Amino acid sequence: MDIEEKTLKRLNSPQELEALRQELQRASSAKSKTITICCGTGCLAYGGAKVAQGFKDEIKARGLENEIEVKTTGCHGFCERGPLVVIRPENVLYQRVKPTDIGEIVDTVKDGNIVDRLLYTIPGTKTKVAHEHDVPFYKKQMRLVFGANGYIDPTSIEDYIGCGGYTALAKTLYSMTPDEVISEVKKSGLRGRGGGGFATGAKWQSTQEAHGDTKYVICNCDEGDPGAFMDRSLMEGNPHAILEGMVIAAFAVGAHEGYIYIRNEYPVAVKHAERAIAQAEAMGLLGRNILGSGFDFTVKINRGGGAFVCGESTALMASLEGRVGEPRAKYIHTSERGLWDQPTVLNNVETLANVPLIINKGSQWYSGIGTANSKGTKIFSLVGKVNNTGLIEVPMGITLREIIYDIGGGIPKNKKFKAIQTGGPSGGCLPESRLDMPVDFDELTRAGSMMGSGAMIVMDEDNCMVDIARYFLSFLEGESCGKCVPCREGLKRMRQILDRIISGRGEDGDIELLEDLSETLTWGALCGLGSGAANPIMSTLRYFRDEYESHIREKRCPAGVCKPLITYNIVEANCPNCTLCIKACPAGAITGRGKKVPVVLDQSKCTKCGACFDVCRLNAVEVR
Amino acid sequence: MTLDTKSFAEVVNTILAKYENDAAMLVGILQDIQSELNYLPRECLVMVSEGLDIPLSRVYSVSTFFKAFSLKPRGRHSLHVCMGTACHVRGAEKVLDKLQTELCLCAGETSPDMKFTLETVNCVGACALGPVVVVDGEYAGQVTTDKVKSILEGCK
């Protein structure tokens, strides 16, 4: 506990919490403006920390501390345009802000003008958008869970309380019974956001009803799904919402101990969660006798070791117990026998962050959002070949086309959309014909993919679907714990077949063999990693079979990706001998022949590294 | 500072005491030791096994199962190339190839002068920036093959 935590005053009743909230709101309204700077991982990589420090220094130097508040927040979602700065309450959004822009921005905050050159410009037009809510990326979103990220400092519990934080906890402890909490979550229709999509209320009920002296609540922030980072951003940007969800879950099932299992690769998330726990304990919102209600619940942090299989509940619990993260067959559910063989609730970060909303606004309000069997909103990470990459929160039922074109701004460089991969390594790739499909748990499954954790990776015509299938297989092969034969041997064999196809040695019958092995894995594997592993293969075979056939029969990679099947060539008409490619080539395969004469590429020396293709700005290098 | 066996003992004992010699915290204990020493020396694994009163085979099974652990010393600069899907579709493979060529190292290896360790990681959760290379904990986003040299030159 550091000095700040020691000075936090303990709250002993909901009335004290409410009084503090009103005091905090009064203090914050005394300052007329707030400058929020996104310090999520994306913006930090673009220099967000320097911008944030610059603003603090500038405000101090001008003596404006009492009028303008500077706040570093978690991820705002629009990672593509970072570092992001938003002036509130007007919500003026500045993008790609550099430390040299700070003086000008502070001038305008004072006099009410806007710095035009830092505003977002709609691609392909000269239209500039001043306000955050008018930017197309944000316009169609419904940021119920993720929205607070842009407003609060994740290291300040006061910020969270000021925004209405911990009201759901007070309501739960003082005016609801555990059964009522479970019934409310059940009626809301909330399904687990971690991948399985299991009904959260039903899971809580079976843990509540299970026999056991001790019960546990675990928050899964391992997020091993490549392509997904919403759990990271929530834990980094709003850790108290997750803690609040955990305490409510604990109250509902009768648990007094909990764990947050966080990936070690997420150091900021670990730091912010640790700090949030210390602050909540100091204020009596966690630990013993929470808010004077007599209910006890403590939370510890456990850092994961970087194993994808630990996304499986039983493997995660084995790892928490200090053992190798191998899953077991779930003849007995973890809600009955989980951590140390005791009844355990395991929920994903996003699921828990939804809970305070449901308690505060009611199940009826919540279930009014979404589709028949998928309620509420879902945070997706929209990444890959799409103009506006980042995190988006949308109501269930929105179409893929709206996500990719309206929110994502379409495909860069006027390329053609080819596929969208959803649900991580256990999900599937959907083609253009599926773009008008509403996105929810059931529709995605019907289309041969899944919701998974919510990764959405957009691919254009330059991506090879056989290569993508091989990528997922080789990823899963490396991550398989090796405990069951279908997964250990099946994945290896499937990857070998795909390697052969990609290297031009594919044979007739390979596709059928892949289908056979996929079926064996789906039905025979011990855990979700293995049983879902066939999905990328099955979905690419279903929608992009012609690409497999081109590789096998014509020994050709239509997308120009698979190295053994492609060559790089110089397009003489476009090449003015600028020598960029000559400098980039590590193999000395490209030589110049004089001024304004096209260069020559010696195929016998070319290692197909693609360096020439990457540096050429004149389309003078092509892949065939 | 060169750590000898005696200081290994100091490191291990301090960390074991922090976790009250709780064998359930084995993963965390190994993570803390690795963040102090940059890798997991055999001597430390033996001390952990004795300190927690668990078989050495269990300590080894955990430290070889999880990818975050290294039983070999690592270089002064760590380069983690993200191989997540978002990075993959934007050309992470090419970036890794270029790094391997420039450093004359395969992924997972450390240079003989102990300057660089090149590793791949499945996803660092910065997917919007792909391809990403994490250099000594700092994220470099939208890396292309022609940026690789300047990344390496930045490692003094």
Side-chain angles (χ1 to χ4, degrees):
Chain A
M1 198 183 283
D2 63 19
I3 297 161
E4 196 197 314
E5 268 83 75
K6 279 179 194 164
T7 58
L8 291 171
K9 196 175 150 239
R10 192 182 162 89
L11 302 167
N12 294 308
S13 69
Q15 292 75 21
E16 284 184 27
L17 175 69
E18 194 46 45
L20 174 67
R21 185 185 338 282
Q22 282 171 12
E23 191 187 317
L24 290 168
Q25 282 169 349
R26 269 196 303 275
S28 115
S29 60
K31 292 185 183 179
S32 57
K33 304 275 181 181
T34 306
I35 301 173
T36 55
I37 302 120
C38 177
C39 282
T41 307
C43 287
L44 284 179
Y46 289 128
K50 274 188 192 156
V51 174
Q53 194 52 51
F55 270 109
K56 283 177 188 160
D57 295 344
E58 185 77 16
I59 296 294
K60 201 173 174 189
R62 296 195 191 191
L64 296 170
E65 291 109 316
N66 294 329
E67 294 164 55
I68 301 173
E69 188 174 8
V70 179
K71 206 177 264 187
T72 53
T73 69
C75 176
H76 294 197
F78 199 9
C79 312
E80 179 70 30
R81 310 300 298 180
L84 302 169
V85 173
V86 184
I87 314 299
R88 304 197 194 276
E90 294 86 356
N91 296 332
V92 176
L93 170 74
Y94 294 121
Q95 41 117 45
R96 301 262 162 94
V97 178
K98 295 184 194 72
T100 47
D101 302 323
I102 291 170
E104 204 177 339
I105 294 177
V106 175
D107 286 343
T108 60
V109 172
K110 280 274 312 169
D111 58 28
N113 291 334
I114 287 173
V115 188
D116 270 3
R117 61 183 180 83
L118 295 173
L119 296 178
Y120 175 77
T121 310
I122 296 175
T125 68
K126 285 184 178 169
T127 315
K128 289 186 181 288
V129 185
H131 298 104
E132 194 181 34
H133 45 268
D134 292 329
V135 173
F137 177 78
Y138 291 110
K139 226 174 178 175
K140 278 205 169 177
Q141 293 194 45
M142 191 186 251
R143 296 161 75 83
L144 303 176
V145 179
F146 198 53
N149 258 36
Y151 287 82
I152 60 172
D153 174 352
T155 60
S156 158
I157 190 168
E158 285 99 338
D159 255 21
Y160 183 66
I161 292 174
C163 283
Y166 288 109
T167 38
L169 176 66
K171 186 177 171 186
T172 305
L173 295 177
Y174 278 90
S175 61
M176 292 174 91
T177 63
D179 287 338
E180 281 169 351
V181 176
I182 289 174
S183 149
E184 198 66 9
V185 174
K186 265 181 156 178
K187 279 192 277 177
S188 75
L190 176 66
R191 292 170 70 172
R193 304 298 199 235
F198 192 77
T200 306
K203 193 187 256 187
W204 288 14
Q205 186 167 25
S206 51
T207 308
Q208 188 205 35
E209 288 169 356
H211 297 288
D213 302 332
T214 314
K215 292 177 184 177
Y216 297 99
V217 173
I218 300 174
C219 167
N220 180 4
C221 187
D222 197 41
E223 198 171 45
D225 258 31
F229 59 112
M230 64 288 291
D231 290 349
R232 169 185 201 153
S233 294
L234 273 174
M235 190 60 90
E236 286 181 2
N238 194 2
H240 285 287
I242 296 138
L243 279 184
E244 190 177 359
M246 283 182 83
V247 188
I248 295 169
F251 175 77
V253 304
H256 300 289
E257 287 176 50
Y259 289 90
I260 303 179
Y261 188 86
I262 313 189
R263 287 187 81 185
N264 203 34
E265 286 93 334
Y266 290 177
V268 180
V270 175
K271 203 170 105 192
H272 287 185
E274 278 172 350
R275 197 179 168 98
I277 290 172
Q279 290 173 337
E281 279 183 349
M283 294 194 79
L285 296 161
L286 195 68
R288 296 190 68 78
N289 192 18
I290 296 174
L291 271 180
S293 67
F295 180 68
D296 304 332
F297 182 64
T298 54
V299 175
K300 283 184 189 163
I301 287 177
N302 206 298
R303 287 166 298 153
F308 177 70
V309 73
C310 286
E312 275 298 314
S313 57
T314 50
L316 187 152
M317 288 172 200
S319 165
L320 255 178
E321 291 171 13
R323 295 185 287 119
V324 167
E326 281 180 355
R328 63 160 172 82
K330 287 197 273 189
Y331 304 116
I332 304 169
H333 291 293
T334 51
S335 51
E336 289 164 41
R337 276 170 64 182
L339 190 63
W340 289 297
D341 277 342
Q342 299 298 322
T344 305
V345 159
L346 175 78
N347 282 137
N348 154 275
V349 167
E350 193 187 335
T351 317
L352 288 165
N354 269 283
V355 171
L357 270 177
I358 294 169
I359 300 294
N360 272 331
K361 298 200 173 187
S363 58
Q364 206 175 354
W365 167 83
Y366 191 84
S367 61
I369 306 161
T371 60
N373 291 315
S374 303
K375 301 296 184 189
T377 57
K378 175 79 190 90
I379 307 176
F380 292 105
S381 58
L382 183 62
V383 291
K385 305 277 187 70
V386 63
N387 276 317
N388 302 333
T389 56
L391 288 179
I392 59 165
E393 185 179 353
V394 286
M396 296 273 193
I398 191 170
T399 65
L400 283 170
R401 193 181 295 280
E402 285 174 286
I403 291 179
I404 298 167
Y405 288 94
D406 297 347
I407 298 173
I411 316 297
K413 298 176 192 165
N414 287 325
K415 295 272 181 179
K416 202 171 167 298
F417 169 86
K418 186 185 232 173
I420 181 163
Q421 206 277 343
T422 73
S426 307
C429 299
L430 302 173
E432 197 172 7
S433 61
R434 293 278 171 174
L435 281 186
D436 293 310
M437 188 187 89
V439 178
D440 73 6
F441 285 101
D442 308 319
E443 287 288 336
L444 283 171
T445 310
R446 263 196 290 279
S449 186
M450 64 187 281
M451 181 76 79
S453 58
M456 283 193 167
I457 296 118
V458 182
M459 290 172 248
D460 68 7
E461 55 193 293
D462 293 340
N463 289 116
C464 168
M465 302 317 288
V466 186
D467 169 70
I468 294 294
R470 183 193 159 277
Y471 162 80
F472 281 115
L473 270 187
S474 95
F475 169 81
L476 291 165
E477 184 193 0
E479 292 297 326
S480 169
C481 75
K483 191 174 178 180
C484 72
V485 178
C487 186
R488 185 179 65 235
E489 300 300 326
L491 285 174
K492 185 176 177 189
R493 184 77 188 109
M494 286 164 90
R495 199 258 308 145
Q496 285 170 341
I497 297 168
L498 283 171
D499 273 349
R500 225 175 50 216
I501 295 175
I502 277 169
S503 64
R505 291 179 289 113
E507 297 162 6
D508 279 341
D510 277 350
I511 292 180
E512 290 72 17
L513 194 51
L514 283 172
E515 285 170 336
D516 271 0
L517 285 164
S518 295
E519 199 173 335
T520 310
L521 262 172
T522 306
W523 296 108
L526 178 72
C527 77
L529 186 150
S531 60
N535 274 355
I537 304 285
M538 298 299 284
S539 65
T540 46
L541 276 173
R542 181 170 163 187
Y543 297 117
F544 303 96
R545 204 178 185 94
D546 56 325
E547 282 200 36
Y548 282 84
E549 283 164 355
S550 301
H551 281 75
I552 295 170
R553 296 194 186 134
E554 299 162 32
K555 311 297 175 203
R556 189 173 69 84
C557 174
V561 172
C562 301
K563 264 191 190 180
L565 304 180
I566 58 165
T567 53
Y568 285 93
N569 300 281
I570 305 298
V571 182
E572 297 200 348
N574 295 349
C575 177
N577 193 3
C578 72
T579 72
L580 268 180
C581 58
I582 300 178
K583 284 175 198 149
C585 179
I590 307 177
T591 42
R593 290 185 295 170
K595 228 176 181 183
K596 295 198 175 170
V597 182
V599 295
V600 178
L601 196 159
D602 181 349
Q603 296 293 347
S604 65
K605 288 184 184 167
C606 178
T607 58
K608 299 177 188 175
C609 70
C612 53
F613 183 82
D614 286 346
V615 293
C616 184
R617 316 246 188 282
L618 302 164
N619 295 326
V621 181
E622 66 166 11
V623 195
R624 267 204 295 258
Chain B
M1 182 179 82
T2 315
L3 286 151
D4 55 20
T5 313
K6 192 179 162 206
S7 17
F8 281 172
E10 278 169 21
V11 170
V12 174
N13 289 335
T14 314
I15 291 166
L16 287 179
K18 179 180 148 196
Y19 288 97
E20 295 169 352
N21 289 48
D22 182 358
M25 301 309 289
L26 180 58
V27 179
I29 290 168
L30 294 176
Q31 270 160 345
D32 282 4
I33 295 174
Q34 180 162 291
S35 64
E36 285 275 329
L37 305 176
N38 216 10
Y39 77 112
L40 295 173
R42 184 186 155 76
E43 297 92 316
C44 292
L45 296 183
V46 174
M47 289 174 212
V48 169
S49 142
E50 287 166 357
L52 299 180
D53 197 21
I54 54 174
L56 184 59
S57 60
R58 184 172 151 198
V59 182
Y60 261 96
S61 68
V62 169
S63 50
T64 52
F65 181 83
F66 292 106
K67 294 212 164 50
F69 298 128
S70 171
L71 300 187
K72 285 188 285 188
R74 296 204 256 198
R76 291 191 299 284
H77 297 290
S78 69
L79 298 164
H80 286 93
V81 186
C82 179
M83 302 305 279
T85 325
C87 293
H88 177 81
V89 301
R90 283 193 181 178
E93 201 103 6
K94 275 186 186 173
V95 173
L96 177 65
D97 273 358
K98 181 78 177 176
L99 274 165
Q100 292 186 140
T101 314
E102 288 290 328
L103 293 168
C104 290
L105 291 177
C106 286
E109 289 182 350
T110 300
S111 59
D113 62 359
M114 298 302 287
K115 187 169 179 190
F116 293 106
T117 295
L118 179 66
E119 285 175 323
T120 57
V121 57
N122 284 330
C123 183
V124 293
C127 312
L129 308 177
V132 176
V133 179
V134 186
V135 186
D136 296 330
E138 298 282 320
Y139 288 71
Q142 296 178 342
V143 179
T144 50
T145 47
D146 49 330
K147 286 189 193 164
V148 161
K149 270 192 178 165
S150 67
I151 286 178
L152 294 178
E153 278 159 14
C155 295
K156 294 274 160 59

